[in-house]
Amino acid sequence: MGKHDVEITPAEQAEVIQIARSLAKHFAEAGPRADAENRFPTELVPLYKESGLPALAVPKKYGGLGADIWTTTLVSRELAKGDPAIALAFNMHQTMIGIFRGLLDEETRERVFSEVVNERKIVCGPFSEDRAGLTGLADTVAVPDGEGGWHISGKKTWATLCLGADIVAFNATVTDPSGELPEDFQEHAARESVFVIPIDTPGISVIETWDTLGMRATGTHTLVFDKVYVPASSYGGNFRNGLFGEFEWASLSFSGVYLGLAEKAYTETREILKKKSLGATQEGKDVALKGIGYIQYGLGKILLETETAARALETTARILIEGRDAEWNPIARAAFVDVTKVAATETAIKVTDAALRLVGGSAFRRGHVLERLYRDARGGPFHPLTTDQAYDLLGRSELGLLGAP
């Protein structure tokens, strides 16, 4: 099979999308309160597991549903129409499962996928640290114990879904036996490794640091490792070389969430504009908002922007499924994949900004659905690759500064 061959049938795809739509109703109910209380709604974890979606992206040969990258993205998109912050949290699991398909060594992959399929376990994957984001080399250390295992110490930020996960995948740099990190940059990068362990392993703790402008319901706290013992079986392979080759599972799944956010904002705005009346004004005794020219124009504009992002997402998925990404400069591949995430996240920002202007001051009140979506949309540019990193990498590629494609 090719990397993105489609094995899920149209009927199976339709079924999982319908499951996502049903689950999205629960997300929509929980979303406002979870945002107001700044908490991840752990009560939704059993529902997510019962839906069967944990096994969505696990290939059929491991007993999963065999969803391809496009189907997985569509599910994230539908969940986000319920509540994008909650969808983003559970999306972490799907991102990690997709990355695992190519990142982990076979023995670890079989073990993890078996737990996901048979026990419906959920995975979170924090790879960033305070010093730097995903591009920074891991300061978290894995000190060899002399018997094939390691003791791991460090701190991981952006641990989305950590309060709902059963398994944590993370990167740590294997040290010398003395516990020293290599001074050579290349050696440091070469020693960065992936480890996959139960999140309730002794020595792992959560510091609840998440208090943000938007995406508050994701529960993206800090995970601390204090001399955590991990056996040889927890090793999942090289991190730095493997992750960026699977980067599309992050880019497209994030795109799906933020496109779903933009679509939800558009739909909510349209329905409000259909019904809202200004009453008697200088223009007449009963002025319907939908009868005003700039309102019609503005709604049409945000529909067009949302449609453009949707088509960019589908096109990118098709390029990957057909293998046409082989035509890209491999050094800049992550940025070319990330075109769709930038399109979706920037669209979400523009749509929610315009939505508040069209609906008016009532949408500015705390708790209004558009106010919440406006804040949630602001998280988009920070996902790796960040928007600015994508621009920079594409620019350097086009100027011939990255080497020949």
Side-chain angles (χ1 to χ4, degrees):
M1 289 182 65
K3 184 176 180 181
H4 290 295
D5 285 352
V6 177
E7 61 174 344
I8 194 169
T9 68
E12 290 168 337
Q13 183 189 70
E15 182 178 359
V16 296
I17 290 173
Q18 186 54 51
I19 289 171
R21 287 173 179 159
S22 298
L23 192 57
K25 296 176 183 177
H26 296 283
F27 284 20
E29 292 173 2
R33 187 169 181 177
D35 174 78
E37 296 176 352
N38 189 34
R39 70 177 186 90
F40 170 68
T42 53
E43 65 272 17
L44 293 178
V45 173
L47 289 177
Y48 190 81
K49 290 186 175 186
E50 290 165 11
S51 74
L53 289 181
L56 176 66
V58 176
K60 288 184 176 180
K61 73 175 184 177
Y62 300 103
L65 301 181
D68 55 273
I69 195 167
W70 175 232
T71 302
T72 305
T73 300
L74 288 175
V75 166
S76 293
R77 180 180 176 182
E78 291 299 326
L79 292 175
K81 293 176 186 177
D83 185 84
I86 299 172
L88 185 63
F90 285 104
N91 182 72
M92 170 58 73
H93 170 83
Q94 300 301 344
T95 298
M96 293 312 305
I97 296 300
I99 290 172
F100 284 173
R101 289 165 59 144
L103 176 64
L104 299 183
D105 60 39
E106 182 59 21
E107 183 178 351
T108 308
R109 183 163 47 241
E110 287 184 354
R111 173 176 63 83
V112 174
F113 284 173
S114 175
E115 293 175 357
V116 169
V117 171
N118 298 321
E119 302 173 51
R120 298 185 177 180
K121 289 188 175 181
I122 291 176
V123 182
C124 75
F127 293 109
S128 297
E129 302 183 4
D130 283 336
R131 179 177 58 80
L134 189 64
T135 56
L137 300 183
D139 293 329
T140 298
V141 296
V143 181
D145 69 350
E147 299 179 0
W150 299 267
H151 288 96
I152 293 179
S153 296
K155 186 183 294 184
K156 294 294 183 182
T157 55
W158 311 106
T160 302
L161 191 58
C162 62
L163 296 180
D166 306 290
I167 298 169
V168 58
F170 60 97
N171 58 323
T173 303
V174 176
T175 70
D176 297 329
S178 62
E180 296 295 319
L181 285 168
E183 295 183 4
D184 180 74
F185 170 81
Q186 296 293 342
E187 180 65 18
H188 190 154
R191 290 200 199 176
E192 266 194 302
S193 302
V194 179
F195 297 90
V196 186
I197 60 177
I199 202 166
D200 60 359
T201 300
I204 297 179
S205 60
V206 176
I207 303 177
E208 297 196 8
T209 52
W210 191 242
D211 188 8
T212 52
L213 172 69
M215 290 295 178
R216 293 166 64 80
T218 61
T220 304
H221 299 299
T222 298
L223 213 57
V224 177
F225 298 81
D226 183 12
K227 297 180 181 177
V228 176
Y229 170 72
V230 298
S233 60
S234 69
Y235 179 80
N238 180 270
F239 169 71
R240 191 63 53 177
N241 294 336
L243 178 70
F244 286 97
E246 311 302 325
F247 198 73
E248 58 263 38
W249 286 97
S251 288
L252 268 72
S253 63
F254 288 141
S255 300
V257 170
Y258 282 91
L259 177 59
L261 187 162
E263 290 173 324
K264 179 179 177 69
Y266 168 76
T267 301
E268 295 283 353
T269 301
R270 183 192 65 199
E271 294 310 302
I272 291 171
L273 296 179
K274 281 182 179 180
K275 300 171 185 176
K276 188 173 182 179
S277 173
L278 299 177
T281 72
Q282 296 180 66
E283 284 73 33
K285 65 178 182 178
D286 187 15
V287 178
L289 212 57
K290 66 182 180 181
I292 300 174
Y294 80 85
I295 295 293
Q296 301 159 3
Y297 173 92
L299 186 67
K301 188 172 187 291
I302 64 174
L303 174 60
L304 188 145
E305 289 171 341
T306 304
E307 277 289 309
T308 301
R311 296 181 195 189
L313 179 55
E314 183 171 1
T315 298
T316 304
R318 297 301 173 199
I319 288 171
L320 293 168
I321 289 170
E322 294 168 11
R324 289 185 283 134
D325 56 306
E327 301 169 8
W328 298 335
N329 181 346
I331 303 175
R333 182 179 187 274
F336 279 101
V337 169
D338 219 45
V339 165
T340 186
K341 183 186 73 68
V342 173
T345 54
E346 292 297 299
T347 294
I349 289 172
K350 289 188 288 186
V351 167
T352 54
D353 183 65
L356 260 67
R357 293 169 183 257
L358 291 172
V359 170
S362 61
F364 193 63
R365 294 186 183 277
R366 176 72 74 181
H368 191 284
V369 61
L370 294 177
E371 179 267 343
R372 184 157 44 92
L373 293 173
Y374 176 92
R375 288 187 288 106
D376 285 346
R378 268 61 198 170
F382 301 106
H383 296 290
L385 295 174
T386 69
T387 299
D388 291 335
Q389 286 173 332
Y391 291 154
D392 178 70
L393 189 54
L394 289 170
R396 286 190 286 140
S397 174
E398 291 302 295
L399 292 171
L401 301 176
L402 298 179

